Amino acid sequence: EPEVTQTPSHQVTQMGQEVILRCVPISNHLYFYWYRQILGQKVEFLVSFYNNEISEKSEIFDDQFSVERPDGSNFTLKIRSTKLEDSAMYFCASRPLGGVSYEQYFGPGTRLTVT
Amino acid sequence: AQSVAQPEDQVNVAEGNPLTVKCTYSVSGNPYLFWYVQYPNRGLQFLLKYITGDNLVKGSYGFEAEFNKSQTSFHLKKPSALVSDSALYFCAVRTEGMDSNYQLIWGAGTKLIIKP
């Protein structure tokens, strides 16, 4: 069964550094998402992406964040200058084209630790 | 604004007993509700969803959920719990207003512990 994959599984970085989190969505999916979960807190929506552009973003997704689909298979989340509070589990999700009844499929997550 | 509440941080059930994990929601229109499960060091796995139709929805691993519009609830249930069901369970609701795309709004999660 096809799966969403994410790399790396764990990323440790110093405050102020740039990080890129990578995701490979399921191949025939056309909607892509990033969510994050700070330890002990709720899962929070960051951004959705469709047709090579952001379709919706949350207040969390400020100018420090960007997303890209560079090659038709990868979907990346970049944080330009990481802060301590960016430490969280980041989940990528994808969904096929179609009605809203289609669920989102999630990857295993990348644990980002900012020191 | 839409919201989801999972009133229990943790639910403890003996193996073989029925289990219920509670979820209530708040939406202004028709609710689209989901349950996901997260095993340790794993991602969020889809269990089941309610979009329309029968109030009792059946999903993966023997789980089901009952949609109750009057009580605005979508409780997850299983008739006979297994130790392997121990995990973190999340209820989520789809945002409204966009026909083709949506984001999920999540509950805080409930840790389910099944004791042998």
Side-chain angles (χ1 to χ4, degrees):
Chain A
E1 186 173 337
E3 292 181 335
V4 176
T5 59
Q6 289 185 244
T7 54
S9 57
H10 191 190
Q11 173 89 48
V12 181
T13 189
Q14 289 189 329
M15 192 168 55
Q17 296 297 304
E18 174 183 286
V19 295
I20 297 176
L21 310 183
R22 291 182 168 80
C23 168
V24 178
I26 295 173
S27 63
N28 63 342
H29 287 188
L30 295 177
Y31 295 103
F32 312 113
Y33 308 85
W34 284 101
Y35 292 82
R36 80 172 184 190
Q37 184 183 27
I38 295 172
L39 187 63
Q41 298 187 23
K42 289 185 180 184
V43 178
E44 301 171 292
F45 168 77
L46 292 178
V47 66
S48 61
F49 191 87
Y50 170 70
N51 201 25
N52 286 320
E53 62 182 19
I54 291 173
S55 50
E56 195 172 2
K57 60 183 180 179
S58 71
E59 293 177 352
I60 303 167
F61 195 88
D62 61 21
D63 291 344
Q64 293 299 311
F65 291 87
S66 62
V67 290
E68 194 178 29
R69 188 158 161 79
D71 55 14
S73 62
N74 290 283
F75 179 52
T76 62
L77 174 69
K78 182 192 290 187
I79 308 175
R80 290 191 182 81
S81 179
T82 51
K83 302 187 282 282
L84 293 175
E85 53 264 38
D86 293 327
S87 295
M89 180 74 86
Y90 288 80
F91 293 104
C92 172
S94 68
R95 187 171 77 83
L97 184 67
V100 293
S101 60
Y102 286 99
E103 60 270 17
Q104 296 177 10
Y105 294 78
F106 285 80
T110 293
R111 182 170 298 284
L112 177 64
T113 301
V114 182
T115 61
Chain B
Q2 303 100 313
S3 65
V4 175
Q6 293 181 244
E8 303 154 316
D9 291 335
Q10 184 170 308
V11 171
N12 298 301
V13 178
E15 187 177 26
N17 283 359
L19 68 87
T20 299
V21 182
K22 296 180 180 177
C23 172
T24 58
Y25 65 89
S26 174
V27 300
S28 54
N30 292 322
Y32 293 79
L33 298 155
F34 302 81
W35 276 102
Y36 282 82
V37 59
Q38 184 179 28
Y39 296 101
N41 301 315
R42 300 281 295 277
L44 295 157
Q45 296 181 35
F46 169 76
L47 273 181
L48 50 79
K49 64 190 175 191
Y50 174 82
I51 304 297
T52 187
D54 289 341
N55 290 340
L56 187 64
V57 178
K58 294 189 183 298
S60 306
Y61 311 121
F63 283 93
E64 56 190 29
E66 187 170 9
F67 171 68
N68 187 316
K69 189 171 183 178
S70 63
Q71 296 185 1
T72 63
S73 67
F74 188 56
H75 299 333
L76 182 70
K77 300 181 179 185
K78 187 172 183 180
S80 178
L82 300 172
V83 172
S84 57
D85 293 329
S86 298
L88 192 55
Y89 290 80
F90 291 94
C91 183
V93 65
R94 193 215 82 166
T95 52
E96 301 164 345
M98 300 181 73
D99 289 336
S100 60
N101 199 3
Y102 66 91
Q103 53 165 292
L104 290 171
I105 296 172
W106 299 82
T110 299
K111 187 175 183 180
L112 177 63
I113 297 176
I114 310 299
K115 297 180 179 178

PDB file of all heavy atoms in Angstrom, chain B residues 14-31:
ATOM      1  N   ALA B  14      -9.564  -2.890  30.337  1.00  0.00           N
ATOM      2  CA  ALA B  14      -9.017  -4.247  30.399  1.00  0.00           C
ATOM      3  C   ALA B  14      -9.234  -4.950  29.056  1.00  0.00           C
ATOM      4  O   ALA B  14     -10.247  -4.742  28.378  1.00  0.00           O
ATOM      5  CB  ALA B  14      -9.702  -5.034  31.513  1.00  0.00           C
ATOM      6  N   GLU B  15      -8.252  -5.742  28.684  1.00  0.00           N
ATOM      7  CA  GLU B  15      -8.350  -6.486  27.426  1.00  0.00           C
ATOM      8  C   GLU B  15      -9.622  -7.316  27.397  1.00  0.00           C
ATOM      9  O   GLU B  15      -9.990  -7.957  28.393  1.00  0.00           O
ATOM     10  CB  GLU B  15      -7.134  -7.393  27.269  1.00  0.00           C
ATOM     11  CG  GLU B  15      -7.045  -8.075  25.915  1.00  0.00           C
ATOM     12  CD  GLU B  15      -5.784  -8.904  25.763  1.00  0.00           C
ATOM     13  OE1 GLU B  15      -5.239  -9.357  26.790  1.00  0.00           O
ATOM     14  OE2 GLU B  15      -5.320  -9.069  24.616  1.00  0.00           O
ATOM     15  N   GLY B  16     -10.300  -7.282  26.254  1.00  0.00           N
ATOM     16  CA  GLY B  16     -11.538  -8.031  26.104  1.00  0.00           C
ATOM     17  C   GLY B  16     -12.780  -7.229  26.426  1.00  0.00           C
ATOM     18  O   GLY B  16     -13.883  -7.604  26.021  1.00  0.00           O
ATOM     19  N   ASN B  17     -12.609  -6.132  27.145  1.00  0.00           N
ATOM     20  CA  ASN B  17     -13.751  -5.267  27.471  1.00  0.00           C
ATOM     21  C   ASN B  17     -14.020  -4.290  26.334  1.00  0.00           C
ATOM     22  O   ASN B  17     -13.119  -3.975  25.551  1.00  0.00           O
ATOM     23  CB  ASN B  17     -13.486  -4.499  28.764  1.00  0.00           C
ATOM     24  CG  ASN B  17     -13.666  -5.378  29.990  1.00  0.00           C
ATOM     25  OD1 ASN B  17     -13.999  -6.557  29.880  1.00  0.00           O
ATOM     26  ND2 ASN B  17     -13.447  -4.801  31.167  1.00  0.00           N
ATOM     27  N   PRO B  18     -15.249  -3.767  26.262  1.00  0.00           N
ATOM     28  CA  PRO B  18     -15.515  -2.737  25.260  1.00  0.00           C
ATOM     29  C   PRO B  18     -14.830  -1.428  25.628  1.00  0.00           C
ATOM     30  O   PRO B  18     -14.598  -1.147  26.810  1.00  0.00           O
ATOM     31  CB  PRO B  18     -17.048  -2.582  25.317  1.00  0.00           C
ATOM     32  CG  PRO B  18     -17.436  -3.096  26.656  1.00  0.00           C
ATOM     33  CD  PRO B  18     -16.437  -4.139  27.036  1.00  0.00           C
ATOM     34  N   LEU B  19     -14.481  -0.660  24.601  1.00  0.00           N
ATOM     35  CA  LEU B  19     -13.854   0.621  24.855  1.00  0.00           C
ATOM     36  C   LEU B  19     -14.616   1.743  24.154  1.00  0.00           C
ATOM     37  O   LEU B  19     -15.237   1.527  23.106  1.00  0.00           O
ATOM     38  CB  LEU B  19     -12.381   0.613  24.407  1.00  0.00           C
ATOM     39  CG  LEU B  19     -12.063   0.534  22.914  1.00  0.00           C
ATOM     40  CD1 LEU B  19     -12.025   1.933  22.281  1.00  0.00           C
ATOM     41  CD2 LEU B  19     -10.728  -0.160  22.689  1.00  0.00           C
ATOM     42  N   THR B  20     -14.542   2.915  24.752  1.00  0.00           N
ATOM     43  CA  THR B  20     -15.107   4.124  24.153  1.00  0.00           C
ATOM     44  C   THR B  20     -14.130   5.263  24.363  1.00  0.00           C
ATOM     45  O   THR B  20     -13.668   5.483  25.484  1.00  0.00           O
ATOM     46  CB  THR B  20     -16.462   4.488  24.784  1.00  0.00           C
ATOM     47  OG1 THR B  20     -17.396   3.437  24.566  1.00  0.00           O
ATOM     48  CG2 THR B  20     -17.007   5.784  24.171  1.00  0.00           C
ATOM     49  N   VAL B  21     -13.823   5.966  23.315  1.00  0.00           N
ATOM     50  CA  VAL B  21     -13.020   7.177  23.384  1.00  0.00           C
ATOM     51  C   VAL B  21     -13.911   8.318  22.896  1.00  0.00           C
ATOM     52  O   VAL B  21     -14.413   8.283  21.785  1.00  0.00           O
ATOM     53  CB  VAL B  21     -11.746   7.074  22.527  1.00  0.00           C
ATOM     54  CG1 VAL B  21     -10.911   8.339  22.663  1.00  0.00           C
ATOM     55  CG2 VAL B  21     -10.935   5.846  22.908  1.00  0.00           C
ATOM     56  N   LYS B  22     -14.062   9.322  23.741  1.00  0.00           N
ATOM     57  CA  LYS B  22     -15.067  10.347  23.480  1.00  0.00           C
ATOM     58  C   LYS B  22     -14.537  11.513  22.652  1.00  0.00           C
ATOM     59  O   LYS B  22     -13.375  11.894  22.766  1.00  0.00           O
ATOM     60  CB  LYS B  22     -15.612  10.875  24.809  1.00  0.00           C
ATOM     61  CG  LYS B  22     -16.361   9.818  25.615  1.00  0.00           C
ATOM     62  CD  LYS B  22     -16.876  10.395  26.925  1.00  0.00           C
ATOM     63  CE  LYS B  22     -17.625   9.318  27.713  1.00  0.00           C
ATOM     64  NZ  LYS B  22     -18.079   9.823  29.028  1.00  0.00           N
ATOM     65  N   CYS B  23     -15.454  12.060  21.859  1.00  0.00           N
ATOM     66  CA  CYS B  23     -15.143  13.231  21.037  1.00  0.00           C
ATOM     67  C   CYS B  23     -16.420  14.037  20.862  1.00  0.00           C
ATOM     68  O   CYS B  23     -17.468  13.473  20.526  1.00  0.00           O
ATOM     69  CB  CYS B  23     -14.604  12.799  19.679  1.00  0.00           C
ATOM     70  SG  CYS B  23     -14.400  14.147  18.491  1.00  0.00           S
ATOM     71  N   THR B  24     -16.326  15.327  21.088  1.00  0.00           N
ATOM     72  CA  THR B  24     -17.430  16.222  20.759  1.00  0.00           C
ATOM     73  C   THR B  24     -16.911  17.310  19.840  1.00  0.00           C
ATOM     74  O   THR B  24     -15.722  17.629  19.844  1.00  0.00           O
ATOM     75  CB  THR B  24     -18.054  16.857  22.016  1.00  0.00           C
ATOM     76  OG1 THR B  24     -17.051  17.577  22.727  1.00  0.00           O
ATOM     77  CG2 THR B  24     -18.654  15.802  22.921  1.00  0.00           C
ATOM     78  N   TYR B  25     -17.790  17.874  19.068  1.00  0.00           N
ATOM     79  CA  TYR B  25     -17.368  18.825  18.054  1.00  0.00           C
ATOM     80  C   TYR B  25     -18.274  20.044  18.056  1.00  0.00           C
ATOM     81  O   TYR B  25     -19.383  20.017  18.597  1.00  0.00           O
ATOM     82  CB  TYR B  25     -17.380  18.172  16.671  1.00  0.00           C
ATOM     83  CG  TYR B  25     -18.762  17.774  16.218  1.00  0.00           C
ATOM     84  CD1 TYR B  25     -19.573  18.657  15.512  1.00  0.00           C
ATOM     85  CD2 TYR B  25     -19.284  16.517  16.532  1.00  0.00           C
ATOM     86  CE1 TYR B  25     -20.850  18.311  15.123  1.00  0.00           C
ATOM     87  CE2 TYR B  25     -20.561  16.159  16.156  1.00  0.00           C
ATOM     88  CZ  TYR B  25     -21.339  17.051  15.458  1.00  0.00           C
ATOM     89  OH  TYR B  25     -22.618  16.709  15.083  1.00  0.00           O
ATOM     90  N   SER B  26     -17.784  21.076  17.426  1.00  0.00           N
ATOM     91  CA  SER B  26     -18.570  22.286  17.226  1.00  0.00           C
ATOM     92  C   SER B  26     -18.318  22.792  15.820  1.00  0.00           C
ATOM     93  O   SER B  26     -17.180  23.140  15.480  1.00  0.00           O
ATOM     94  CB  SER B  26     -18.174  23.355  18.252  1.00  0.00           C
ATOM     95  OG  SER B  26     -18.839  24.565  17.985  1.00  0.00           O
ATOM     96  N   VAL B  27     -19.367  22.762  15.009  1.00  0.00           N
ATOM     97  CA  VAL B  27     -19.289  23.296  13.649  1.00  0.00           C
ATOM     98  C   VAL B  27     -20.595  24.026  13.362  1.00  0.00           C
ATOM     99  O   VAL B  27     -21.617  23.718  13.961  1.00  0.00           O
ATOM    100  CB  VAL B  27     -19.053  22.186  12.593  1.00  0.00           C
ATOM    101  CG1 VAL B  27     -17.767  21.440  12.861  1.00  0.00           C
ATOM    102  CG2 VAL B  27     -20.225  21.241  12.522  1.00  0.00           C
ATOM    103  N   SER B  28     -20.556  24.935  12.431  1.00  0.00           N
ATOM    104  CA  SER B  28     -21.774  25.672  12.114  1.00  0.00           C
ATOM    105  C   SER B  28     -22.570  24.999  11.001  1.00  0.00           C
ATOM    106  O   SER B  28     -23.772  25.181  10.902  1.00  0.00           O
ATOM    107  CB  SER B  28     -21.440  27.112  11.709  1.00  0.00           C
ATOM    108  OG  SER B  28     -20.499  27.107  10.657  1.00  0.00           O
ATOM    109  N   GLY B  29     -21.914  24.205  10.193  1.00  0.00           N
ATOM    110  CA  GLY B  29     -22.607  23.521   9.104  1.00  0.00           C
ATOM    111  C   GLY B  29     -22.602  22.022   9.329  1.00  0.00           C
ATOM    112  O   GLY B  29     -22.603  21.544  10.458  1.00  0.00           O
ATOM    113  N   ASN B  30     -22.583  21.275   8.244  1.00  0.00           N
ATOM    114  CA  ASN B  30     -22.532  19.820   8.353  1.00  0.00           C
ATOM    115  C   ASN B  30     -21.137  19.370   8.773  1.00  0.00           C
ATOM    116  O   ASN B  30     -20.153  19.819   8.204  1.00  0.00           O
ATOM    117  CB  ASN B  30     -22.888  19.169   7.014  1.00  0.00           C
ATOM    118  CG  ASN B  30     -24.339  19.381   6.662  1.00  0.00           C
ATOM    119  OD1 ASN B  30     -25.206  19.350   7.532  1.00  0.00           O
ATOM    120  ND2 ASN B  30     -24.620  19.611   5.385  1.00  0.00           N
ATOM    121  N   PRO B  31     -21.049  18.494   9.740  1.00  0.00           N
ATOM    122  CA  PRO B  31     -19.732  18.059  10.194  1.00  0.00           C
ATOM    123  C   PRO B  31     -19.156  16.945   9.330  1.00  0.00           C
ATOM    124  O   PRO B  31     -19.879  16.079   8.859  1.00  0.00           O
ATOM    125  CB  PRO B  31     -20.007  17.534  11.604  1.00  0.00           C
ATOM    126  CG  PRO B  31     -21.410  17.016  11.529  1.00  0.00           C
ATOM    127  CD  PRO B  31     -22.129  17.892  10.536  1.00  0.00           C
TER     128      PRO B  31
END
